[in-house]
Structure formats: C-alpha cells, structure tokens
Amino acid sequence: MTRIFSGVKPTGHLTLGNYLGAVRQWVAAEQEPDEALFCVVDLHALTVEHDPARVRRLSRQAATLLLAAGLTPEKCTLFVQSHVDEHARLSYLLECTASDGELRRMVQYKEKAAKAQASGEGVRLSLLTYPVLMAADILAYRTGEVPVGEDQRQHVELTRDLAVRFNQRYGYTFTVPEATHPVVAARVMDLQDPRSKMGKSGDTGPGVVFILDEPEAVRKKVTRAVTDSGEGGVVYDPAARPGAANLLDILAACTGGEPAALADGYTGYGALKRDVADAVVELLRPVRVRHAELAADPGTVEAVLRAGAGRARAIARPVVDAAYRAIGLLEP
C-alpha cells in the first residue's frame, strides 16, 4: 500500500488552478486502495506578512472546500498542520540535514524574496527554510506519492534529496517519495497574464477564477481572458500562443478532452471562451453548493479536523521519534 500526502496553504482563496492542479487529483487518489493524508499547511502561511484572523478564516475555508470538493473522512485523513507537533519537530532535524545553498536555489524563495524586498518588507528566515518544513510534512508519514502542481516539483526533489541524505548518514528512516502530476492543467495560468501561474496569494484580479466565484463572475473573467494574435485561428501552441493554450488546457481538464484536438473544433476565440466558461461553471457548481452546506455547519468540519489530527499524529510520531534516535538525541 502506498501512502499519499499533499497539502494546501491558506494564503488566499482557492482558485480554479488549485482545483484542477491538485484538489481534484486528491479526490481521485482517495478512491484508490492507498492511504491518503491531506493537510491545510497553516504554518507555511506565516512565512510572509499576514493577518492572524485571516489565516484562521482561510484555514477553515480551505478545509471546508476540500470536503466540499469530495474528500471523505472515511477514506482519507484531513487535518491542519499546526495541530500535529511532529511537523515542527522533524523540520529542525531536516534543517540540520539541508544546506544553505540548496535552499537559496529554490525558485519560489528567489521570487518571493524579491517581491518582499521590492515592497519594502523584510524577508523572513522562515521563507528560506519553509521547503524544509514542507519536506518534514511529507517525510513524517513515510509518504510514497505526493500529488502536487508543477510549481512544487522542485520542493519535492529537495524532499527526496533530504530523505536520501538522512538515510545515508544515520540509517534508513524515511521513504523517498515521488511527485505525481495531472496530465493536463497541472499549471493553470492567469487569464490576464498567461505566462504567469493563476495564484491565490494576495491576488484578486480579473485573471484569477476562484472556486467560490459566482457563475456570472466566472463568465466575465473567462470572456475577458487574454488571447493571442496570429494566423490560422485557434491553435494549441503553449510557447507561441499561451493565452489560447491556457484556455484549451482548462477546457480539456474540465471535459476530459485533449487540448490540441479541442483546438481543431474552433475557428474563433468567442466560441472557445463561451465553452470554457460553461465548462468551468458546471465543474465548480456542485463544489459551491456543498461548501455552502458545510459552512452552515462548522461543527462538522471541526470534528473532521480533530479526528484527522489524531490519526495523523499516530502515524507521524513513531517516524519522528525514530528520526530523533537515529540522529543521536537521547530518548526522554
């Protein structure tokens, strides 16, 4: 049996990109005869300037949306990262295994640090070290597979490197995980800037479709999506025509088609945008309905998270205790 782990960071409202690139894959994963753990990684939200009340609110919303999207407590473990102390315990051991150089090479660190500096903010040390905490999230459960979006591939590779290094230095302790990615729409791009990822953090612009957007808002954003000039009508060419490619990727992910084949059915962008908008609205409709039901009954969500944290703790504690012994720490 393979153990699957993945998480979502509560730094903004979840987007269509989060749903197509990760959440829907998680729901499919829990149907397999494997053990699946999914986590709201709230500690990661503290690496940048934040409002404490907003982090709590978004953490609760993220957990509610994961349940609304189809995760079922009977088939998977859903919990909040900060409710399981083993994540922070293991993170320090892995900081003692990682090097400064490999953390500073992380693309997301470079991008976020540059953004913070440009806005006049200081760069928190936790922004540099959070990939190590992410590795602890994964390794604490002896995870075999990590279903993530394409933008997280580098972090999973670091996790693999740390697991191998720790095992070689101190004896076999961790499973070396593999990243898995959906075939299409692994990285949904911003509708107004199709060369940039559709991100949830601090972005409320017209290029971002949120899972909880009303249908009218979805249609307006898709209708106004940037497309590309060029001869030959609608063509699937991510390098030369990223706007059209992004719309076709989204449509393919919503309908189960193949982007290049779908392009052959269109002579203009108007019809493509209408079909993409219809597909996205219908895809998200049941999630929005179920979210409203769960949000009206917060006690149910809180009970799921408490039970999930208990199960996660029971799995992680023996692994982390073994890592403490392996690295040379006295048992209490």
Side-chain angles (χ1 to χ4, degrees):
M1 179 179 292
T2 299
R3 184 171 288 149
I4 297 168
F5 177 94
S6 201
V8 61
K9 184 165 56 175
T11 51
H13 301 288
L14 297 186
T15 70
L16 175 67
N18 298 130
Y19 184 71
L20 293 178
V23 175
R24 192 171 64 167
Q25 191 179 186
W26 298 359
V27 175
E30 75 165 12
Q31 306 303 318
E32 301 297 326
D34 297 312
E35 186 172 15
L37 299 99
F38 302 111
C39 182
V40 179
V41 287
D42 54 343
L43 294 176
H44 292 297
L46 310 185
T47 61
V48 295
E49 188 66 30
H50 64 277
D51 173 25
R54 186 170 187 265
V55 171
R56 285 190 290 270
R57 184 172 64 253
L58 290 176
S59 296
R60 186 176 295 107
Q61 183 188 86
T64 305
L65 273 172
L66 293 179
L67 292 171
L71 292 183
T72 53
E74 297 79 16
K75 295 181 179 179
C76 72
T77 299
L78 175 63
F79 65 104
V80 176
Q81 179 190 33
S82 63
H83 294 177
V84 180
D85 293 344
E86 279 62 34
H87 292 250
R89 289 180 62 208
L90 181 56
S91 182
Y92 181 72
L93 299 194
L94 296 179
E95 284 185 13
C96 297
T97 308
S99 71
D100 174 79
E102 62 191 343
L103 295 182
R104 292 187 185 279
R105 287 194 295 271
M106 295 289 107
V107 172
Q108 287 202 26
Y109 169 72
K110 293 179 180 178
E111 293 175 348
K112 292 180 179 180
K115 183 177 180 181
Q117 290 171 337
S119 63
E121 299 176 6
V123 180
R124 300 187 182 194
L125 178 61
S126 56
L127 184 62
L128 176 65
T129 60
Y130 99 86
V132 177
L133 176 57
M134 179 178 172
D137 298 338
I138 296 166
L139 298 180
Y141 300 97
R142 291 198 171 125
T143 302
E145 293 183 8
V146 188
V148 292
E150 182 64 29
D151 60 316
Q152 294 297 325
R153 179 187 294 274
Q154 189 183 32
H155 290 159
V156 178
E157 287 302 314
L158 174 67
T159 300
R160 289 171 51 83
D161 291 343
L162 294 180
V164 170
R165 190 178 306 156
F166 193 100
N167 290 345
Q168 290 175 340
R169 289 179 179 175
Y170 308 116
Y172 178 81
T173 306
F174 301 120
T175 298
V176 181
E178 297 282 349
T180 59
H181 308 280
V183 176
V184 295
R187 185 167 177 144
V188 176
M189 311 307 282
D190 189 290
L191 296 176
Q192 291 297 312
D193 181 11
R195 295 192 185 277
S196 299
K197 186 184 74 166
M198 184 181 286
K200 64 181 182 298
S201 300
D203 196 342
T204 58
V208 180
V209 174
F210 297 101
I211 295 176
L212 294 179
D213 273 348
E214 295 290 337
E216 295 77 12
V218 174
R219 294 183 191 283
K220 181 180 292 186
K221 290 176 180 180
V222 174
T223 299
R224 296 178 178 178
V226 168
T227 49
D228 320 284
S229 61
E231 300 294 331
V234 178
V235 177
Y236 184 71
D237 186 342
R241 298 189 179 184
N246 189 35
L247 290 173
L248 289 164
D249 277 337
I250 293 170
L251 183 60
C254 290
T255 63
E258 197 278 322
L262 289 170
D264 294 337
Y266 296 96
T267 57
Y269 290 118
L272 173 61
K273 290 181 176 181
R274 285 192 297 273
D275 286 353
V276 170
D278 288 344
V280 172
V281 166
E282 290 309 309
L283 181 75
L284 298 181
R285 188 187 306 278
V287 181
R288 292 178 58 252
V289 170
R290 180 58 177 152
H291 175 269
E293 295 171 352
L294 289 167
D297 182 20
T300 295
V301 178
E302 291 169 4
V304 168
L305 295 177
R306 281 196 301 272
R311 291 197 298 271
R313 199 175 297 117
I315 297 170
R317 182 163 296 169
V319 178
V320 177
D321 285 349
Y324 269 59
R325 290 191 299 270
I327 206 169
L329 299 177
L330 287 173
E331 294 187 48

